[in-house]
């Protein structure tokens, strides 16, 4: 944390755990008897509970979206650039709810949690969770928090898919869905990258069929490789070029295979750090949730038919250099919304950072986000 | 409200689904939504305009008519497709007209008249490309690359079998003067056309 709290920070935040005793039926056919969700909130819920905004996290995200957990924290939450007083998701006006999704590894019940029926970590026994399951659990959280209708459900990437799913599953419970750098379904290429990541993990000798907890070990190598390949898809060629170019760590080639280029050592460092802090089974689960997401599937592939149930308004934003979920994928979503006569606004923001651009506050992105959320706030009298 | 928009709004009925090509800062759509009970979208490419639309609750899509066309809109999905002061700035106005009347049952088009007497006079006297209030650019930086006259436009409509339901001709201040009505191609500065492919009832 900086020496003093920035004026536009939500400050020091303490996450809270909500325990749910009622069983939740999942898309895979299994039931979770009980579970915990770890949640952070920023700002105040107004009298008629109309100013609540739900933040949905992406693949490796969690509940800690804004502010700091302690004065010792080096970095704020993952979306601190967009959440705080005077920021697009203005905590002076909105009550912001951010949770770690079911199946996560940051405190909510997931594969690394203790299975009450065995007393051991769930591991591979933890059910595969879908985007729809997440939305369902988020709706139960909303009930608990006394929120009938979100002013907006907001998310980037996998988070944007949850926002879209919300609008289909609980049309009366949100006024706006904001989906940023997202897609209505993964392409074969997207699934292929996920499969490489999963293979890296499951083929790690330390994976032990997902029971590495019982062996006191972690599939570090596999998770590191998974993160490395994932990380490449989050950046653009140009932004990697800008950051690393062909720069060497030392002056000359060493004619060996150790990390000689800066980009190699960066990827290894990121991968290693991630492999110590993220659960491999959660990574498998999150990538599968991505693969399965396809709300048009049960409507013969026609997303506009799926959208017939929706009533909320949409903001869709894409980034010019995002090759993971390209602007064309966002436009596919927008076109289906147009065909379904849903109210939608769309912008393609010119930004060099690839998929990661949704986390980086470029002026145009911030302007759009500000303008839209300001209107949402005015609409609910916040 | 700009007088041309004042005229246009009278043709929009409650419940109409409207597409506004080059919707600018969304003034017209905002008005149509609030005052006329219409719904719809605006297409725009100017980032500041797009932001303004979003802030005022006008559904705006970032889409370039020249490069992307209207292929993402279904046949007959709008009651009215509007294009105010943008026909002269697209690469193929003829194709845009076709597309307007494919996705909408009626089109409303406004554009500056290149045969207005002041422009004719300017060209005759100075031998330089004319400039006016409606066309305040130099020949080399103007976005208006497809200037035409009322007669040109009407000839194109005839050739395409497009029916002109009505035409209002106004001067630079968008006033509907009797002189401009009398001799439009010479005295009218801006025309507002209502067009359709439907046959007369």
């Amino acid at each position: 944390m900086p020496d003093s709290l920035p004026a536009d920070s939500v400050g020091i935040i303490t996450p809270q755990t909500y325990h749910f005793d009622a069983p939740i039926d999942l898309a895979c056919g299994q039931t979770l008897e009980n579970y915990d969700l770890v949640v952070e909130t920023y700002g105040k819920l107004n009298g008629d509970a109309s100013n609540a905004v739900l933040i949905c996290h992406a693949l490796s995200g969690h509940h800690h979206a804004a502010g700091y957990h302690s004065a010792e924290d080096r970095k704020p939450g993952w979306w601190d650039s967009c959440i705080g007083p005077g920021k697009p998701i203005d905590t002076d006006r909105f009550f912001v709810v951010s949770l770690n999704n079911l199946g996560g590894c940051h405190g909510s019940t997931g594969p690394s949690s203790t299975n009450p029926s065995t007393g051991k970590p769930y591991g591979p026994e933890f059910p595969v969770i879908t985007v729809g399951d997440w939305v369902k659990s988020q709706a139960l959280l909303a009930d608990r928090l006394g929120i009938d209708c979100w002013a907006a459900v907001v998310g980037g990437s996998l988070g944007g898919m949850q926002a879209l799913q919300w609008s289909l599953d609980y049309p009366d419970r949100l006024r706006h869905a904001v989906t940023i750098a997202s897609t209505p379904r993964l392409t074969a290429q997207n699934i292929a990258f996920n499969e490489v990541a999963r293979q890296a993990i499951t083929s790690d000798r330390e994976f032990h069929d997902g029971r590495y907890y019982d062996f006191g070990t972690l599939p570090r190598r596999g998770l590191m490789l998974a993160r490395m390949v994932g990380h490449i898809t989050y950046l653009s060629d140009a932004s990697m070029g800008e950051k690393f170019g062909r720069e060497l760590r030392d002056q000359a080639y060493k004619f060996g295979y150790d990390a000689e280029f800066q980009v190699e050592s960066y990827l290894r460092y990121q991968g290693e750090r991630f492999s110590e802090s993220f659960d491999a089974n959660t990574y498998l689960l999150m990538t599968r949730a991505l693969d399965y997401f396809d709300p048009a599937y049960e409507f013969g592939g026609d997303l506009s038919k799926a959208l017939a149930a929706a009533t909320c308004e949409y903001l869709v934003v894409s980034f010019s250099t995002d090759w993971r979920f390209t602007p064309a994928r966002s436009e596919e979503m927008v076109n289906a919304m147009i065909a379904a006569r849903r109210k939608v606004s769309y912008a393609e923001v010119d930004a060099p950072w690839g998929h990661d651009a949704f986390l980086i506050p470029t002026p145009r992105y911030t302007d759009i986000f500000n303008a839209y959320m300001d209107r949402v706030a005015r609409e609910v009298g916040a | 409200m700009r007088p041309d928009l004042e005229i246009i709004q009278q043709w929009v009925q409650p419940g109409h689904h409207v597409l506004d090509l080059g919707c600018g800062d969304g003034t017209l759509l905002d008005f149509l939504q609030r005052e006329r009970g219409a719904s719809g979208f605006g297409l725009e490419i100017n980032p500041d305009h797009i932001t303004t639309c979003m802030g005022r609750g006008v559904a705006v899509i970032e889409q370039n008519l020249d490069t992307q066309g209207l292929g993402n809109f279904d046949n007959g999905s709008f009651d009215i497709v509007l294009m105010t002061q943008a026909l002269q700035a697209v690469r193929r106005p003829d194709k845009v007209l076709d597309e307007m009347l494919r996705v909408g049952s009626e089109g409303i088009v406004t554009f500056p008249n290149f045969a207005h007497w002041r422009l004719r006079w300017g060209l005759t006297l100075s031998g330089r490309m004319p400039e006016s209030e409606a066309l305040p650019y130099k020949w080399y930086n103007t976005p208006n690359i497809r200037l035409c006259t009322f007669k040109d436009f009407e000839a194109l409509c005839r050739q395409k079998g497009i029916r002109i339901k009505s035409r209002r001709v106004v001067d630079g201040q968008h006033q509907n003067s009797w002189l401009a009505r009398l001799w439009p191609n010479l005295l009218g500065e801006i025309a507002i056309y209502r067009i359709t492919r439907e046959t007369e009832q």
Side-chain angles (χ1 to χ4, degrees):
Chain A
M1 201 183 97
D3 288 340
S4 62
L5 271 177
D8 60 357
S9 170
V10 297
I12 306 278
I13 296 296
T14 309
Q16 283 186 303
T17 301
Y18 290 85
H19 183 71
F20 292 82
D21 265 329
I24 182 170
D25 295 330
L26 304 167
C28 64
Q30 294 188 52
T31 301
L32 266 184
E33 292 306 323
N34 59 70
Y35 53 95
D36 290 338
L37 293 177
V38 176
V39 180
E40 286 185 7
T41 66
Y42 324 111
K44 285 195 176 67
L45 189 62
N46 62 7
D48 57 354
S50 64
N51 69 333
V53 171
L54 176 67
I55 307 295
C56 302
H57 71 71
L59 175 56
S60 59
H62 43 69
H63 54 285
H64 185 36
Y68 300 84
H69 282 163
S70 79
E72 283 74 51
D73 281 2
R74 218 165 41 88
K75 282 182 172 176
W78 58 269
W79 219 10
D80 196 83
S81 60
C82 291
I83 305 169
K87 291 178 184 172
I89 300 171
D90 189 343
T91 50
D92 286 338
R93 305 169 84 183
F94 292 116
F95 175 66
V96 181
V97 177
S98 173
L99 78 159
N100 183 211
N101 275 332
L102 214 50
C105 55
H106 293 87
S108 292
T109 300
S112 52
S113 309
T114 303
N115 182 346
S117 62
T118 63
K120 292 207 289 187
Y122 282 99
E125 259 86 70
F126 197 83
V128 171
I129 305 284
T130 65
V131 170
D133 293 332
W134 283 332
V135 166
K136 196 173 185 179
S137 65
Q138 290 160 0
L140 293 165
L141 175 65
D143 294 342
R144 183 76 70 85
L145 296 170
I147 297 159
D148 281 337
C149 181
W150 300 100
V153 176
V154 182
S157 192
L158 177 55
M161 299 179 194
Q162 292 161 60
L164 177 59
Q165 189 78 48
W166 256 99
S167 71
L168 308 177
D169 292 353
Y170 299 96
D172 305 334
R173 298 197 66 179
L174 75 165
R175 300 179 69 97
H176 295 266
V178 178
T179 112
I180 304 170
S182 194
T183 176
R185 67 173 79 88
L186 262 60
T187 62
Q189 188 192 49
N190 294 146
I191 296 170
F193 274 114
N194 283 346
E195 172 57 6
V196 171
R198 283 190 293 267
Q199 281 295 319
I201 291 168
T202 55
S203 61
D204 186 321
R205 204 192 298 256
E206 303 296 331
F207 183 64
H208 297 290
D209 293 325
R211 289 177 211 285
Y212 42 88
Y213 320 99
D214 304 347
F215 294 80
T217 183
L218 292 171
R220 288 188 183 81
R221 255 210 98 69
L223 193 51
M224 172 184 155
L225 286 174
R227 181 60 171 180
M228 284 170 77
V229 76
H231 205 102
I232 297 168
T233 70
Y234 303 149
L235 307 176
S236 70
D237 192 15
S239 66
M240 280 183 112
E242 170 101 351
K243 203 164 176 179
F244 309 108
R246 293 181 47 84
E247 208 179 310
L248 295 165
R249 293 174 69 199
D250 294 319
Q251 299 299 327
Y253 294 161
K254 294 201 168 117
F255 298 95
Y257 300 104
D258 207 3
E260 291 186 30
F261 290 93
Q262 286 293 4
V263 65
E264 295 175 294
S265 85
Y266 171 82
L267 280 179
R268 287 186 190 190
Y269 171 74
Q270 292 293 334
E272 272 162 23
R273 230 178 42 153
F274 188 76
S275 72
E276 294 291 338
S277 61
F278 205 86
D279 180 63
N281 282 318
T282 289
Y283 203 84
L284 297 180
L285 181 151
M286 295 278 172
T287 55
R288 216 20 145 196
L290 276 163
D291 293 352
Y292 284 167
F293 180 71
D294 184 7
Y297 183 73
E298 35 184 320
F299 295 88
D302 186 344
L303 184 61
S304 69
K305 287 199 179 119
L307 283 159
T311 54
C312 75
E313 295 182 25
Y314 296 92
L315 171 64
V316 178
V317 180
S318 69
F319 297 94
S320 56
T321 57
D322 184 351
W323 60 280
R324 185 182 171 87
F325 300 148
T326 60
R329 299 280 79 74
S330 282
E331 284 156 26
E332 209 176 291
M333 207 177 337
V334 169
N335 290 340
M337 289 162 183
I338 290 170
R341 290 205 178 191
R342 299 280 77 88
K343 200 166 169 183
V344 53
S345 285
Y346 169 66
E348 179 189 322
V349 174
D350 210 1
W353 293 286
H355 188 57
D356 263 357
F358 85 88
L359 297 165
I360 300 166
T362 40
R364 182 164 186 227
Y365 175 31
T366 309
D367 284 351
I368 286 169
F369 211 174
N370 266 326
Y372 195 87
M373 293 309 294
D374 171 62
R375 183 192 148 233
V376 174
R378 277 185 278 124
E379 198 182 278
V380 297
Chain B
M1 176 175 266
R2 256 168 46 195
D4 56 336
L5 304 186
E6 183 66 46
I7 293 170
I8 291 169
Q9 63 93 9
Q10 296 165 10
W11 294 332
V12 176
Q13 301 303 315
H16 265 172
H17 200 46
V18 178
L19 180 64
D20 189 352
L21 309 180
C23 67
D25 64 7
T27 303
L28 179 59
L29 271 177
D30 185 39
F31 179 86
L32 294 178
Q33 275 173 199
R34 283 186 297 108
E35 305 295 327
R36 306 292 295 171
S39 61
F41 299 98
L43 302 193
E44 187 49 62
I45 50 172
N46 177 311
D48 294 331
H49 284 338
I50 291 171
T51 305
T52 307
C53 286
M54 288 175 179
R56 66 180 0 160
V58 165
V60 61
I61 311 286
E62 181 166 348
Q63 186 165 332
N64 188 325
L65 271 178
D66 277 338
T67 56
Q68 295 164 281
L70 293 177
N72 53 329
F73 294 95
D74 290 337
N75 292 353
S77 49
F78 294 92
D79 298 294
I80 296 179
V81 182
L82 296 165
M83 188 142 120
T84 59
Q85 304 289 22
L87 187 76
Q88 75 282 358
V90 297
R91 229 177 271 162
R92 290 295 300 265
D94 56 336
K95 292 190 171 163
V96 169
L97 285 175
D98 284 336
E99 279 294 273
M100 284 177 79
L101 294 179
R102 177 184 66 80
V103 304
S105 40
E106 184 177 315
I108 297 175
V109 183
T110 80
F111 60 89
N113 178 21
F114 204 64
H116 184 254
W117 69 268
R118 226 181 277 120
L119 299 176
R120 297 189 196 199
W121 190 239
L123 183 60
T124 309
L125 278 193
S126 69
R128 307 275 308 264
M129 281 300 281
E131 291 167 36
S132 71
E133 235 174 285
L135 299 165
Y137 299 94
K138 299 287 180 196
W139 64 272
Y140 48 83
N141 65 6
T142 180
N144 303 315
I145 53 171
R146 294 286 185 258
L147 291 160
C148 69
T149 71
F150 296 166
K151 277 188 176 171
D152 287 327
F153 179 78
E154 288 171 21
L156 179 64
C157 288
R158 265 196 307 279
Q159 183 195 319
K160 286 186 164 296
I162 293 171
R163 186 165 70 83
I164 294 169
K165 281 173 92 170
S166 60
R167 181 189 72 186
R168 300 280 189 91
V169 175
V170 295
D171 63 21
Q173 277 68 53
H174 298 95
Q175 300 306 312
N176 194 350
S177 76
W178 65 271
L179 270 171
R181 276 202 300 277
L182 193 69
W183 212 341
N185 205 41
L186 186 64
L187 300 177
E189 280 195 80
I190 292 168
I192 306 160
Y193 284 92
R194 261 179 106 179
I195 55 174
T196 184
R197 282 209 185 281
E198 288 161 7
T199 47
E200 210 151 356
Q201 277 147 28

